[in-house]
């Protein structure tokens, strides 16, 4: 650098005076103050630099993390019991997982699993709903029930000295639900009200419609929580039959984690569940998801001032050999540690407050989804950039730096996911539910760091199909459709929001039918209630389960996380979803 280029102390006030003379006013004062607050320092080679000139501190070297001791046993009746010793806190977490969710809903009765789960803690044959609440409150514990696409759960957390009480309560709730008529009606009405509220939310509409496009009439694409019509049709007998078929010990996993010994835990599980006889679990046959197909569906909501955007495609299930590499590829696209979408859409162009992409890997299939919202007048540009990032991921080899950033986030945050008994129970249930080796928990960071740029390129080219993306936009169609046409997005379907019907093959409500299942039919938020009850309505509350922006979701299990608190009522667990068990994919 020449002397003429070097900053000098005298140069600073001159620049401030110039700004003032140019009439910058207050802005000039601010700039002057900012410049004056910085100090100039002369280096050993005679150069002047602004101080501080140091780079941010480098991350500390990763410390070794050891997963607590665990043991897995099978009771004679087939109940799989996992114990993990964790004596750092005087608490015990018990999580019972049933391998049945909305995938097992009877034909025409969408919402049975969700409704049954919501009723588990609303009374048993020996306890009323109030008694259950008083029992758990008296011992300072927490009880939660819920369901997803592939599972139903009951969670209990208690202090160590109340372990036996908590285990007995868990067993009673799981084994002996009363399904009282008055509670069934109350839960139905609550669910219908929730669906009505969700139906006005463009974020919810975009997310649930996206899954419908990707999965078609596979249960993953249908509304887990049902519709007002299907909920109204569910009887007490349907709920009892669902419980009788799938709530059997050989279809369950029980994780006990905390300040107990293995022998105490197994003995308590044997006392609570040992006499429960096993039964044959009926197989379930479902339709296959449709093949990858480019489809752009616009839901027209004329009063919207911004557009919700969802872009993605069908992907791999959780138990796939390429899951780790594919998940890291999506992290680079729009996840923690890298996030090209956020950089391009927000940092470089200011089109949105945030953008992200997630893998949603479930039991039978999975998908990848990128999402954001943007002003109506920038809809076309945002969509073009998002599609281009899918193409770039599939086309170009990622750099080692980008991959390292994503790896650093996953590996570095892993210890935070095994801090508490609940976190540890979640990790264990995670791998067991997906039929993965429990030993993989302890090698998670090593497996993350073993992925190379060549692996990312291979999975991106094998699974990412930019020419066959499913695209959903919810907003003022008249204002942004011309933008799309100028950019080449000409093959679009526009559906007025009041005509959207997720249960229709065309996604449009048949206006000649009075009993359409559409989420926005005559009894939806823009329709009427007929004959004293809702006959149409919304589908399940956001498949992102009311997750705040920047959070992940799923129904059932996703990203290797046990998504189990979708409909949690009595307690909110750790972070991110009322639907999650752990933060990290395993």
């Amino acid at each position: 650098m020449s002397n003429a280029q070097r900053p000098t102390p005298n140069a600073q006030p001159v620049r401030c005076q110039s700004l003032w003379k140019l009439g910058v006013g207050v802005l000039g004062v601010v700039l002057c103050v900012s410049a004056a607050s910085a100090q100039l320092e002369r280096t050993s080679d005679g150069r002047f630099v602004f101080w501080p000139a140091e780079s941010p501190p480098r991350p500390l070297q990763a410390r070794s993390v050891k997963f607590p001791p665990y043991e897995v046993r099978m009771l004679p009746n087939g109940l799989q019991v996992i114990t993990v010793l964790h004596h750092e806190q005087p608490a015990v977490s018990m999580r019972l997982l049933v391998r049945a969710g909305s995938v097992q809903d009877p034909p025409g009765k969408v919402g049975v699993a969700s409704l049954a789960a919501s009723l588990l803690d609303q009374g048993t044959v020996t306890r009323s709903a109030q008694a259950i609440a008083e029992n758990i409150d008296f011992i300072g514990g927490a009880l939660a029930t819920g369901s997803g696409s592939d599972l139903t759960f009951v969670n209990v957390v208690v202090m160590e000295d109340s372990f036996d009480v908590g285990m007995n309560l868990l067993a009673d709730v799981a084994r002996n639900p009363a399904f009282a008529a008055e509670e069934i009606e109350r839960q139905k009405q609550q669910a219908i009200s929730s669906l009505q509220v969700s139906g006005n939310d463009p974020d919810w509409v975009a997310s649930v419609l996206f899954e419908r496009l990707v999965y078609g009439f596979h249960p993953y694409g249908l509304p887990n929580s049902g519709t007002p019509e299907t909920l109204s049709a569910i009887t007490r007998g349907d709920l009892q039959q669902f419980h009788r078929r799938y709530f059997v010990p050989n279809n369950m996993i029980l994780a006990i984690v905390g300040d107990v010994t293995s022998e105490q835990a197994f003995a308590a599980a044997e006392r609570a569940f040992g006499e429960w006889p096993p039964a044959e679990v009926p197989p379930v046959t479902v339709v296959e998801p449709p093949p990858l197909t480019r489809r752009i569906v616009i839901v027209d909501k004329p009063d919207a001032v911004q557009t919700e955007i969802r872009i993605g495609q069908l992907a791999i299930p959780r138990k796939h050999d390429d899951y780790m590499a594919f998940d890291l590829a999506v992290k680079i696209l729009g996840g923690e540690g890298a996030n090209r979408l956020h950089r391009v859409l927000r940092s470089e162009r200011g089109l949105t407050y945030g953008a992200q992409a997630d893998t949603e890997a479930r039991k039978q299939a999975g998908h990848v989804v990128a999402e954001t919202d943007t002003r109506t007048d920038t809809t076309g540009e945002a969509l073009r950039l998002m599609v281009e990032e899918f193409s770039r991921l599939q086309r170009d080899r990622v750099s080692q730096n980008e991959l390292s950033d994503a790896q650093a986030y996953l590996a570095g945050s892993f210890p935070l996911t095994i801090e508490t008994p609940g976190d540890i129970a979640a990790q264990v249930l995670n791998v067991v539910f997906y039929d993965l080796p429990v030993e993989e928990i302890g090698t998670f960071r090593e497996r993350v760091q073993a992925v190379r740029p060549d692996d990312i390129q291979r999975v991106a080219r094998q699974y990412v199909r930019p020419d066959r993306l499913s695209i959903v936009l919810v907003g003022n169609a008249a204002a942004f459709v011309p933008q799309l046409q100028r950019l080449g997005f000409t093959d679009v379907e526009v559906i007025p929001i009041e005509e959207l019907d997720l249960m229709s093959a065309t996604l449009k409500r048949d206006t000649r039918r009075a009993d359409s299942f559409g989420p926005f039919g005559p009894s939806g938020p823009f329709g009427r209630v007929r004959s004293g009850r809702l006959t149409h309505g919304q589908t399940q509350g956001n498949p992102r389960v009311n997750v705040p922006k920047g959070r992940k979701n799923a129904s059932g299990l996703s990203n290797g996380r046990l998504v189990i608190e979708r409909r949690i009522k009595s307690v909110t667990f750790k972070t991110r979803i009322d639907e999650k068990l752990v933060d990290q994919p395993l």
Side-chain angles (χ1 to χ4, degrees):
M1 176 183 287
S2 66
N3 290 333
Q5 294 174 309
R6 293 173 185 166
T8 66
N10 293 331
Q12 192 169 308
V14 171
R15 183 165 59 251
C16 294
Q17 294 172 8
S18 300
L19 287 169
W20 187 260
K21 290 178 180 179
L22 288 173
V24 176
V26 175
L27 176 60
V29 174
V30 173
L31 292 175
C32 287
V33 172
S34 299
S37 64
Q39 299 181 21
L40 284 174
E41 189 172 279
R42 190 167 187 168
T43 63
S44 58
D45 62 356
R47 291 183 301 110
F48 285 95
V49 297
F50 282 102
W51 182 90
E54 294 86 359
S55 300
R58 297 180 62 82
L60 298 175
Q61 186 175 1
R63 299 180 180 179
S64 61
V65 177
K66 293 184 179 179
F67 194 75
Y70 64 89
E71 188 174 351
V72 182
R73 295 185 191 176
M74 185 85 72
L75 298 187
N77 59 7
L79 176 65
Q80 197 169 7
V81 183
I82 305 146
T83 65
V84 184
L85 308 185
H86 184 76
H87 302 295
E88 295 183 12
Q89 302 172 11
V92 183
S93 173
M94 292 160 276
R95 303 201 174 201
L96 183 68
L97 189 70
V98 183
R99 292 185 176 95
S102 62
V103 170
Q104 283 75 22
D105 281 343
K109 298 290 182 74
V110 179
V112 165
S114 176
L115 185 58
S118 71
L119 287 161
L120 291 176
D121 62 351
Q122 299 303 299
T124 69
V125 295
T126 58
R127 292 181 173 96
S128 67
Q130 182 176 349
I132 292 174
E134 291 175 350
N135 290 162
I136 195 68
D137 288 345
F138 182 76
I139 60 176
L143 169 67
T145 66
S147 70
S149 295
D150 295 302
L151 57 91
T152 303
F153 68 88
V154 182
N155 295 341
V156 175
V157 181
V158 296
M159 301 303 290
E160 180 273 333
D161 58 1
S162 300
F163 173 54
D164 288 335
V165 176
M167 179 64 76
N168 292 336
L169 186 58
L170 171 67
D172 191 27
V173 167
R175 295 184 61 176
N176 307 305
F179 295 128
E182 63 275 14
E183 293 294 346
I184 293 174
E185 186 60 27
R186 185 173 65 85
Q187 289 295 319
K188 282 184 179 182
Q189 293 307 314
Q190 287 184 2
I192 290 171
S193 295
S194 177
L195 294 174
Q196 284 183 287
V197 173
S198 297
N200 281 310
D201 181 7
D203 177 65
W204 177 86
V205 175
S207 297
V208 74
L209 176 56
F210 173 80
E211 293 200 353
R212 172 64 177 78
L213 286 187
V214 170
Y215 292 108
F217 285 107
H218 185 283
Y220 289 166
L222 300 180
N224 287 18
S225 296
T227 68
E229 182 69 22
T230 60
L231 286 170
S232 297
I234 295 172
T235 66
R236 184 170 185 264
D238 295 325
L239 299 169
Q240 291 174 319
Q241 184 181 59
F242 180 86
H243 184 270
R244 186 167 54 252
R245 284 182 173 179
Y246 301 109
F247 278 65
V248 293
N250 48 305
N251 196 40
M252 294 180 171
I253 310 167
L254 174 63
I256 305 171
V257 182
D259 193 18
V260 293
T261 67
S262 291
E263 293 309 316
Q264 286 177 315
F266 286 123
E270 179 68 42
R271 286 195 303 270
F273 296 99
E275 296 181 359
W276 198 356
E280 184 178 355
V281 179
V284 176
T285 302
V286 298
V287 299
E288 292 294 322
L292 294 177
T293 305
R294 172 71 169 265
R295 189 174 182 185
I296 305 175
V297 177
I298 298 170
V299 177
D300 184 22
K301 193 173 188 295
D303 62 340
V305 296
Q306 63 182 22
T307 307
E308 287 286 343
I309 303 176
R310 302 290 183 272
I311 303 176
Q313 62 168 79
L314 197 68
I316 58 179
R318 175 61 187 88
K319 192 182 177 181
H320 194 289
D321 293 340
D322 287 331
Y323 173 76
M324 180 64 76
F326 185 74
D327 186 53
L328 280 167
V330 177
K331 289 286 189 294
I332 293 170
L333 174 66
E336 299 92 339
N339 203 336
R340 291 177 173 180
L341 290 172
H342 186 87
R343 183 176 66 250
V344 170
L345 293 173
R346 175 174 169 78
S347 302
E348 296 179 3
R349 290 174 172 81
L351 300 178
T352 179
Y353 285 111
Q356 67 181 54
D358 294 325
T359 48
E360 303 283 353
R362 305 176 184 176
K363 191 82 170 179
Q364 300 181 19
H367 69 268
V368 55
V369 57
E371 67 175 84
T372 192
D373 48 42
T374 188
R375 301 188 314 273
T376 300
D377 61 316
T378 57
T379 299
E381 183 183 4
L383 177 60
R384 177 186 64 81
L385 292 169
M386 294 176 77
V387 173
E388 171 56 28
E389 288 305 316
F390 272 90
S391 297
R392 186 159 76 97
L393 180 67
Q394 196 255 9
R395 180 183 66 240
D396 301 335
R397 189 174 187 271
V398 303
S399 68
Q400 180 61 58
N401 286 341
E402 278 190 301
L403 175 58
S404 295
D405 287 344
Q407 290 172 317
Y409 177 86
L410 278 182
S413 59
F414 173 71
L416 302 178
T417 71
I418 55 173
E419 286 187 314
T420 68
D423 295 335
I424 296 168
Q427 293 282 15
V428 174
L429 284 174
N430 219 6
V431 295
V432 173
F433 180 83
Y434 285 111
D435 301 318
L436 301 170
V438 179
E439 295 78 14
E440 284 196 359
I441 301 175
T443 62
F444 175 72
R445 295 200 298 181
E446 290 76 14
R447 290 184 291 113
V448 168
Q449 299 293 357
V451 177
R452 298 290 177 257
D454 287 344
D455 300 318
I456 302 297
Q457 184 178 37
R458 176 181 58 80
V459 296
R461 291 184 175 178
Q462 184 172 352
Y463 302 117
V464 178
R465 300 299 301 271
D467 59 330
R468 299 185 183 181
L469 294 172
S470 294
I471 300 173
V472 173
L473 302 102
V474 180
N476 185 355
F480 66 73
V481 167
Q483 303 172 34
L484 305 186
Q485 294 172 337
R486 288 193 295 270
L487 293 170
F489 298 102
T490 56
D491 188 15
V492 302
E493 305 169 50
V494 180
I495 303 174
I497 195 167
E498 65 272 12
E499 295 182 17
L500 181 64
D501 184 348
L502 298 174
M503 304 301 287
S504 167
T506 64
L507 297 176
K508 285 189 176 182
R509 180 172 57 86
D510 185 349
T511 56
R512 297 168 300 179
R513 293 174 51 201
D515 59 346
S516 169
F517 288 117
F520 305 98
S523 64
F526 305 99
R528 298 181 179 178
V529 178
R530 301 186 297 109
S531 303
R533 66 180 177 86
L534 292 171
T535 54
H536 313 283
Q538 303 72 37
T539 58
Q540 107 187 33
N542 195 338
R544 290 190 144 58
V545 245
N546 301 319
V547 182
K549 285 289 184 184
R551 299 294 191 179
K552 293 185 181 178
N553 139 82
S555 34
L557 290 175
S558 124
N559 261 2
R561 291 183 308 259
L562 219 71
V563 181
I564 62 163
E565 276 145 45
R566 172 178 299 281
R567 301 192 31 124
I568 194 165
K569 301 178 297 303
S570 58
V571 65
T572 299
F573 282 82
K574 198 164 179 266
T575 64
R576 190 171 325 247
I577 321 186
D578 359 354
E579 38 79 307
K580 62 167 273 298
L581 259 179
V582 303
D583 288 285
Q584 291 300 331
L586 286 182

